[in-house]
Amino acid sequence: RLGKDRKLLKNNFVNVAHAFMLPLLCKYDHKGEGLDLVETDFVLLGKLLQTASNFLRCAGETQQAIELAFILFEFIESARFLRHKDAFVRKCTVLAIYQVMKTIPSFLLSASNEKGAGLNCENVHDMLLSAAKHDSDEDCRLLSAQVLLELQERWSQLLPKIHVLS
């Protein structure tokens, strides 16, 4: 029981979130001695995506978290992790996309490719819909469909109606 002496604590992780996350993302495709995240070490690549998602969650609802969310989405989109050959990486990618979409406020999202608008919901929708319909792993298909349905509920005015599970 907490009692009456409750205090709001400042989220100190926000101050160092960039310092932790950005170095992890910047050299993911670097091949070191015995380490190749892109070609062979899929579990580590999946864990990298999970860690980046956790950084967003830990950063809370702050400007820094929003900046990191845009960076993480750009990272995911440019590396095309939803087309990765390993199912674990694709599942981690779907979860990372979900965390990005939860982190970014709806006023920074756009429904289409409008110039100067925020993150494009149409692209996110198409990426997840493709995974939900065509992924070779059943768990990844179901996870993508679940994320699509949750996003539909959150931003029904921005995303088109989704008929994935019918």
Side-chain angles (χ1 to χ4, degrees):
R1 194 168 171 169
L2 294 174
K4 294 183 182 181
D5 295 336
R6 287 197 248 178
K7 295 181 183 177
L8 289 177
L9 298 175
K10 183 181 176 192
N11 183 350
N12 291 322
F13 182 71
V14 172
N15 300 328
V16 296
H18 281 85
F20 280 102
M21 188 168 147
L22 297 180
L24 287 175
L25 298 181
C26 76
K27 292 192 177 185
Y28 81 96
D29 58 350
H30 176 75
K31 294 181 181 182
E33 289 186 37
L35 182 66
D36 183 2
L37 295 179
V38 178
E39 296 294 324
T40 57
D41 297 316
F42 305 139
V43 173
L44 290 177
L45 181 57
K47 293 294 183 182
L48 172 72
L49 291 167
Q50 286 178 339
T51 302
S53 297
N54 286 331
F55 285 171
L56 287 183
R57 190 172 336 114
C58 291
E61 296 178 4
T62 62
Q63 179 63 34
Q64 291 88 343
I66 294 168
E67 292 170 9
L68 289 174
F70 278 106
I71 291 168
L72 179 57
F73 185 75
E74 186 177 318
F75 171 73
I76 290 169
E77 193 175 38
S78 66
R80 299 182 182 197
F81 288 131
L82 273 177
R83 295 183 183 162
H84 197 275
K85 61 184 173 182
D86 187 67
F88 179 67
V89 173
R90 293 191 308 271
K91 288 179 213 172
C92 292
T93 302
V94 170
L95 292 173
I97 290 171
Y98 180 60
Q99 187 62 45
V100 164
M101 296 302 285
K102 281 178 38 178
T103 302
I104 298 174
S106 59
F107 69 88
L108 292 175
L109 300 173
S110 68
S112 61
N113 284 328
E114 302 164 8
K115 265 216 177 243
L119 187 70
N120 183 338
C121 289
E122 192 174 303
N123 285 348
V124 173
H125 172 266
D126 292 347
M127 288 167 51
L128 292 172
L129 184 62
S130 177
K133 287 185 174 183
H134 306 295
D135 198 281
S136 59
D137 183 68
E138 182 179 0
D139 289 339
C140 194
R141 286 193 307 269
L142 291 174
L143 183 61
S144 297
Q146 180 183 358
V147 168
L148 276 171
L149 291 174
E150 288 187 32
L151 290 177
Q152 175 64 36
E153 290 175 16
R154 279 180 77 93
W155 297 294
S156 59
Q157 72 277 8
L158 292 174
L159 295 173
K161 291 292 180 193
I162 301 167
H163 304 287
V164 176
L165 299 176
S166 53

